[in-house]
Amino acid sequence: MNSMTKAVMTMTAFTFVERTLGFLFKIYLSREIGAVGMGIYSVALSFFFVLVTLLTSGIPLVVSKQTATNRSESGGVCSAALIFELVTALVICLLVAVLQRPIGSLFAERQSMTLVLVMLPALVFSGIYSAFRGVLWGEKKFTTVSAVELIEQIARIIGCVVLFSLFKGKTVAVAASMTVACFVSAAAVALFYFGGKRKLKSPKTHLKPLISTSVPITLSRTTSSINNYIIAIAMPFLLMSSGLNSEQSMYVFGSCVGMALPLLYLPITVVGSLAFVMIPTLSEAYSKGDKKSMRRQIENALSFSIIIAAIILPAYCALGEPLGTFIYNNTDAGIFLKKSAWLLLPLAFENIASSMLNSLDLEKKSLINYLIGAASMYAICFAFFSRFDMDVFILAFGLSLILSSVLDVIDIKRRTGFKLKFFKPLLICLAAAYPAWLFTEYVHSIIPGTVLPIIVAGIGGVCFSALAAVIFGAVDFEMAVSKKPKKRPLFAAKKRKSSS
């Protein structure tokens, strides 16, 4: 088994545990603070993530790239990153505190601004975390990075439970748990950094190049977070335009986007792990001009993302409603989950494709493609002003992801000349999706009970989809076993005479 495969499997295991804990935590929160509370918190969190992205999005990637190419300079790069992050974090905190009233007026509920203020100290800790994390990432210490992220999730859950027992305002306690978790993760990653006998060095020659290189990446990823924030503002507004009041719009937004949508991200954990591992690996191949390696990685990764999403898709289509009802005790969340299940495919594909653009020094293209997709989403949503509902949002969101993905593929192909081999598994998996959906529904209908039918039908549906993918040649799940990764590509499919 080659090193990249091991890294993906290790990260997937850690990330799966982390997201499973986060998923269970989300269930706990939804039952403690309700759909309205989830809506208020989701709006605050979306704005907070804009600030975090503005602060940290470009730095870890640049630090990791520079560390991967020249480890002897990692101490100076890390010092430069720490200085830049801490100064920027303090400036952002000050601006938000001074401008809290005009910013708060943008929220549908004023309480969201209070939650943002409670989470502000987490920005400082996030800045420290991102600088040290970038070095570990560049050194390909994927297990260490994953362990820290898991520690952060555990700290947040424990902190939230403890704070719930101390404060009556539970939404404020949830926000405070974010600050606690970020402090713990910053302390943990610092211990791992210095525990590995690494040192901080003079940042003089690294500060300016670090800032100039990270700015385009930061702008690209901040745009994504700003878009999520705009969604959190625009969707309740559009729902109110269709006749709902403020509380009703928050309920719909909280049950759909706050509860159901995160469930779509849980199954594609492995795709996110692959994207994380690919960035330094693909960047290294690109810097060396190794087009053969680049094409192989791109072709296999795109096909893999499609296969993973398509295998899980039928289970979500069939079990969306009972899952939402069982997990959140919210029928609307279940209905939304079922209707939005098809988003798994474009979500997984766009995730991996946009990461490839960043690895190929096409950050500006990634930003442009994302903006075009986002613009199309808002155009569709506002075209249904006064008639807007969450069905329109699902359609608009999905089409925006598809458009961005198509543009990403065009740019990647221009840069590397890779072949569009992902069309074969895509068509095969789509053809198998409907019978797998029917099979899953049938299994669910013949088993009595509440939990058991979901488990058995879900496993059965995934196995049906996977078997169909194997039988019809989409994938054979052969993993490389050679110690020399160049000879055996990750997730490679066997070459058949019929496809040659």
Side-chain angles (χ1 to χ4, degrees):
M1 186 181 293
N2 63 42
S3 59
M4 187 173 179
T5 303
K6 289 180 181 178
V8 173
M9 292 178 67
T10 301
M11 280 210 64
T12 299
F14 271 99
T15 308
F16 180 78
V17 174
E18 178 200 345
R19 292 196 178 182
T20 300
L21 289 175
F23 168 65
L24 295 174
F25 180 55
K26 183 82 70 173
I27 298 172
Y28 172 69
L29 287 185
S30 68
R31 294 178 181 272
E32 288 290 328
I33 64 178
V36 175
M38 286 295 293
I40 294 170
Y41 175 64
S42 296
V43 171
L45 196 62
S46 64
F47 181 75
F48 173 74
F49 281 150
V50 171
L51 303 180
V52 172
T53 306
L54 181 63
L55 175 67
T56 66
S57 59
I59 294 298
L61 182 58
V62 174
V63 173
S64 70
K65 284 184 176 182
Q66 294 185 7
T67 300
T69 56
N70 189 355
R71 292 195 180 186
S72 63
E73 298 294 327
S74 63
V77 175
C78 187
S79 297
L82 280 171
I83 293 171
F84 177 72
E85 295 280 51
L86 289 174
V87 172
T88 307
L90 292 174
V91 171
I92 292 175
C93 290
L94 180 61
L95 287 174
V96 173
V98 171
L99 301 174
Q100 59 178 286
R101 287 190 178 181
I103 294 174
S105 65
L106 299 174
F107 300 135
E109 291 287 342
R110 281 278 183 174
Q111 191 177 354
S112 295
M113 190 63 224
T114 302
L115 304 187
V116 171
L117 294 175
V118 173
M119 290 187 282
L120 277 184
L123 286 177
V124 177
F125 304 132
S126 296
I128 297 171
Y129 168 78
S130 67
F132 290 124
R133 175 180 180 265
V135 174
L136 298 177
W137 187 9
E139 293 179 357
K140 298 183 181 179
K141 303 292 184 182
F142 301 121
T143 301
T144 302
V145 174
S146 300
V148 173
E149 292 177 352
L150 181 58
I151 290 171
E152 179 181 335
Q153 185 68 268
I154 294 172
R156 189 179 179 205
I157 295 171
I158 295 174
C160 187
V161 174
V162 172
L163 290 170
F164 273 178
S165 65
L166 298 177
F167 299 100
K168 292 182 179 180
K170 289 189 174 182
T171 52
V172 175
V174 175
S177 70
M178 176 67 76
T179 298
V180 172
C182 289
F183 168 76
V184 172
S185 64
V189 77
L191 287 174
F192 279 118
Y193 180 90
F194 292 110
K197 298 182 179 179
R198 302 175 186 87
K199 297 180 179 180
L200 296 176
K201 298 179 181 179
S202 174
K204 289 182 179 180
T205 59
H206 300 285
L207 191 58
K208 186 176 180 180
L210 179 76
I211 296 173
S212 61
T213 307
S214 64
V215 166
I217 302 171
T218 299
L219 290 176
S220 176
R221 296 190 176 182
T222 302
T223 302
S224 175
S225 291
I226 291 174
N227 182 49
N228 292 332
Y229 168 64
I230 294 174
I231 288 174
I233 299 298
M235 295 308 111
F237 169 76
L238 287 170
L239 288 168
M240 285 189 284
S241 74
S242 65
L244 301 181
N245 60 33
S246 176
E247 184 174 344
Q248 289 171 333
S249 67
M250 277 298 173
Y251 167 82
V252 173
F253 182 76
S255 60
C256 295
V257 177
M259 294 181 181
L261 200 58
L263 284 174
L264 291 177
Y265 290 90
L266 186 62
I268 56 175
T269 297
V270 65
V271 178
S273 300
L274 178 59
F276 186 86
V277 172
M278 272 193 69
I279 286 178
T281 306
L282 187 57
S283 296
E284 185 178 0
Y286 175 69
S287 64
K288 293 179 179 179
D290 188 353
K291 287 194 174 183
K292 184 177 180 181
S293 175
M294 285 190 291
R295 290 167 184 161
R296 185 190 69 239
Q297 291 185 54
I298 291 168
E299 290 163 4
N300 289 332
L302 290 177
S303 297
F304 181 72
S305 67
I306 288 172
I307 292 165
I308 291 297
I311 285 174
I312 301 166
L313 172 60
Y316 268 64
C317 290
L319 304 175
E321 289 191 49
L323 272 173
T325 303
F326 170 69
I327 293 171
Y328 295 117
N329 194 28
N330 189 303
T331 304
D332 292 322
I335 294 172
F336 181 83
L337 179 61
K338 179 177 181 177
K339 290 180 177 179
S340 61
W342 66 275
L343 293 175
L344 274 171
L345 278 170
L347 275 171
F349 193 91
E350 198 275 338
N351 185 318
I352 199 76
S354 60
S355 295
M356 290 174 181
L357 287 178
N358 291 332
S359 298
L360 298 172
D361 291 342
L362 293 171
E363 294 88 357
K364 291 181 180 179
K365 288 288 187 180
S366 177
L367 172 59
I368 293 171
N369 296 345
Y370 182 82
L371 288 174
I372 293 173
S376 68
M377 181 186 71
Y378 290 113
I380 295 171
C381 288
F382 280 92
F384 287 85
F385 189 82
S386 77
R387 295 174 294 158
F388 179 82
D389 57 23
M390 296 312 292
D391 290 340
V392 175
F393 171 73
I394 294 171
L395 176 64
F397 185 42
L399 291 178
S400 72
L401 290 170
I402 293 171
L403 179 57
S404 296
S405 297
V406 170
L407 295 174
D408 288 346
V409 168
I410 291 173
D411 290 326
I412 295 170
K413 186 170 177 58
R414 286 175 178 170
R415 177 58 60 93
T416 65
F418 83 102
K419 296 180 181 179
L420 304 178
K421 292 183 178 180
F422 63 84
F423 273 112
K424 180 182 177 181
L426 175 61
L427 295 175
I428 292 173
C429 290
L430 287 178
Y434 186 63
W437 178 0
L438 296 178
F439 173 78
T440 308
E441 282 191 333
Y442 173 72
V443 173
H444 181 264
S445 66
I446 63 174
I447 300 177
T450 303
V451 181
L452 185 61
I454 294 176
I455 296 174
V456 175
I459 294 174
V462 170
C463 291
F464 187 103
S465 300
L467 185 61
V470 173
I471 291 174
F472 292 103
V475 64
D476 60 13
F477 294 107
E478 179 181 324
M479 302 294 288
V481 294
S482 171
K483 292 183 179 180
K484 297 179 180 180
K486 290 184 179 180
K487 293 183 178 181
R488 298 293 296 275
L490 179 66
F491 307 120
K494 293 178 179 179
K495 294 183 179 179
R496 296 174 174 80
K497 292 183 180 180
S498 59
S499 62
S500 61

